[in-house]
Amino acid sequence: MKNIFLKPLCLTLLGIFIMSCSKDDETASFQKENFMAEYLALSQFDEDVTNNVNLGDFEFGVEFTPKAKGIITSIIVQSPDANNELRVTFWDAETKTPIRTETVNVETADTQFTFSINELAVQKDKKYMITMNSDDWYRRSKTNNEAIVYPLEVGNLEINSYGYFNGSEQTYPNNFQTNYYAGDLSFDFERTE
């Protein structure tokens, strides 16, 4: 009599265990990634930093390519001066058109701020750019001012270049430099597949 009840109970428990294991595999989650620290270390642009305040407006940032499908969930900014209307733009790098613009309030100089945004879906192997428009920025370079070779692989992102446009217009950068980075603008990326 005991075997009659024990066998179905064991099969039921085995089924629950198998279902819970397969469910975990189907709903794999990925960690948020921010490229900035590793980008600065790989490029060695973390060796020399100069603060620039009120030196004319520029639209500047990095071109990047996700190596996996994902979402951008926040913007991270630091500036050597406060700016209550800092414009940040995500661009389709192929068409050079804005796909999202956010205005953020950098309340305090030399303080890193994280701003949550509505999820921005990005596609694998598609080139994008993130820029900000400001007259205040950190200029980062190697101590010997040597150029670097792009692209740089940083987690699930490839950083393709740094560029800028001189002016306050929302215009895709047309000058690209390899011996420095200006800004301190990044984002949190979360792989979805």
Side-chain angles (χ1 to χ4, degrees):
M1 189 85 158
K2 290 181 183 178
N3 287 340
I4 294 173
F5 295 109
L6 188 57
K7 192 173 185 179
L9 178 62
C10 288
L11 289 174
T12 302
L13 291 174
L14 179 62
I16 292 170
F17 175 74
I18 290 170
M19 286 179 13
S20 68
C21 288
S22 64
K23 186 176 182 182
D24 289 343
D25 293 341
E26 292 171 12
T27 59
S29 62
F30 300 96
Q31 296 293 319
K32 287 184 181 181
E33 303 174 40
N34 185 285
F35 67 88
M36 184 56 73
E38 190 173 349
Y39 166 64
L40 294 176
L42 287 171
S43 63
Q44 298 176 326
F45 289 161
D46 57 356
E47 293 179 348
D48 189 40
V49 181
T50 306
N51 291 6
N52 296 285
V53 177
N54 299 325
L55 288 181
D57 292 303
F58 291 89
E59 186 86 28
F60 51 92
V62 294
E63 288 181 326
F64 64 95
T65 303
K67 303 315 290 175
K69 185 177 179 182
I71 54 173
I72 295 171
T73 58
S74 58
I75 298 167
I76 296 92
V77 181
Q78 186 168 325
S79 175
D81 197 12
N83 183 340
N84 64 353
E85 291 187 348
L86 181 70
R87 184 180 70 220
V88 176
T89 305
F90 289 95
W91 304 81
D92 179 320
E94 294 169 13
T95 63
K96 298 180 176 24
T97 55
I99 54 175
R100 172 84 64 87
T101 301
E102 301 279 345
T103 303
V104 297
N105 181 5
V106 179
E107 296 177 17
T108 311
D110 300 315
T111 303
Q112 187 176 79
F113 290 92
T114 300
F115 302 97
S116 295
I117 62 171
N118 290 333
E119 292 179 358
L120 175 63
V122 291
Q123 299 302 311
K124 177 182 178 184
D125 297 329
K126 180 173 174 57
K127 190 185 280 188
Y128 299 90
M129 187 165 200
I130 182 174
T131 62
M132 67 182 186
N133 193 280
S134 183
D135 64 352
D136 311 307
W137 65 90
Y138 302 102
R139 185 185 190 278
R140 298 181 176 276
S141 62
K142 294 181 176 185
T143 51
N144 62 11
N145 208 33
E146 275 185 9
I148 66 163
V149 176
Y150 286 102
L152 296 175
E153 298 287 333
V154 181
N156 284 300
L157 296 175
E158 181 177 89
I159 307 302
N160 301 301
S161 61
Y162 159 77
Y164 70 90
F165 172 80
N166 190 351
S168 60
E169 298 84 22
Q170 188 175 29
T171 302
Y172 198 87
N174 59 357
N175 295 293
F176 291 87
Q177 300 296 320
T178 57
N179 66 333
Y180 71 92
Y181 164 78
D184 275 30
L185 170 67
S186 63
F187 53 84
D188 284 329
F189 171 79
E190 188 175 343
R191 183 178 166 185
T192 56
E193 290 184 353

